[in-house]
Amino acid sequence: MQKIKRLLFLCVILMGSIATYAQQTKEPAPFVLREGKHNLTLQWVSWNQPGKAVIKKKKDGTYSIQGEQRGADNAGFVTIDGVLKVVSAKELEFEGTIRTKDNSINGGEVCEKKGTYHFLAKGARKYWRLQEMENCEGNNVVDYVDIFF
């Protein structure tokens, strides 16, 4: 009887170890972006009146994004048009065009960025922020382009 109890005890330990190992080796599910309208902001335009960006999943697993925020006077704006690739829940890779404009910077001219850029959500933030944020003016002027969850 003692041998059977020991054998059962070893089986329980072994089964628990196998279950723990299976859970540890399981890869996490990939992060999925919420499709639909997301708030989009540029600090020069407004923090309180966000624009909208529409995100749609594509067949290849990437997402299209297109949107804009315009100021009340229609002089300042941000537009975004391109493709997002999910790197993680906190990081997005963007390829496309981002245009910003505010009369008080860059001589009032449009700052256009074309290419590959990165958006990160740091800490407890509820948005991804463009990391290549230097405005075309230079001189440490930055554009905070944010896409909200």
Side-chain angles (χ1 to χ4, degrees):
M1 188 59 133
Q2 281 297 85
K3 288 184 181 182
I4 293 174
K5 285 182 181 179
R6 285 186 198 148
L7 186 58
L8 284 172
F9 179 71
L10 286 174
C11 286
V12 168
I13 290 174
L14 182 60
M15 294 303 283
S17 297
I18 290 171
T20 301
Y21 176 76
Q23 288 175 344
Q24 290 174 348
T25 59
K26 197 182 222 184
E27 288 191 31
F31 181 76
V32 177
L33 280 178
R34 177 181 60 81
E35 292 184 76
K37 290 183 180 179
H38 291 252
N39 286 344
L40 174 71
T41 60
L42 171 67
Q43 90 276 19
W44 307 116
V45 177
S46 172
W47 297 107
N48 300 323
Q49 296 176 324
K52 297 293 179 191
V54 176
I55 295 176
K56 295 179 184 175
K57 189 166 188 175
K58 297 171 61 173
K59 289 181 182 180
D60 65 0
T62 62
Y63 296 82
S64 66
I65 181 168
Q66 189 172 34
E68 70 176 9
Q69 177 192 26
R70 296 216 172 250
D73 59 2
N74 222 15
F77 65 84
V78 59
T79 64
I80 188 167
D81 189 7
V83 175
L84 292 169
K85 177 182 171 189
V86 176
V87 177
S88 72
K90 298 278 188 175
E91 183 178 358
L92 304 175
E93 183 179 281
F94 170 79
E95 182 155 347
T97 304
I98 299 170
R99 299 173 77 228
T100 61
K101 182 180 184 293
D102 185 82
N103 287 336
S104 66
I105 56 173
N106 196 35
E109 296 296 317
V110 173
C111 177
E112 183 173 277
K113 297 178 183 184
K114 282 187 174 188
T116 302
Y117 300 96
H118 303 87
F119 284 84
L120 292 180
K122 295 181 180 178
R125 291 180 176 166
K126 300 293 183 197
Y127 54 85
W128 297 279
R129 175 164 284 166
L130 177 65
Q131 296 303 290
E132 296 82 6
M133 55 183 73
E134 188 171 352
N135 182 276
C136 297
E137 176 177 301
N139 300 320
N140 293 319
V141 175
V142 296
D143 294 331
Y144 294 141
V145 179
D146 299 330
I147 304 168
F148 287 75
F149 300 163

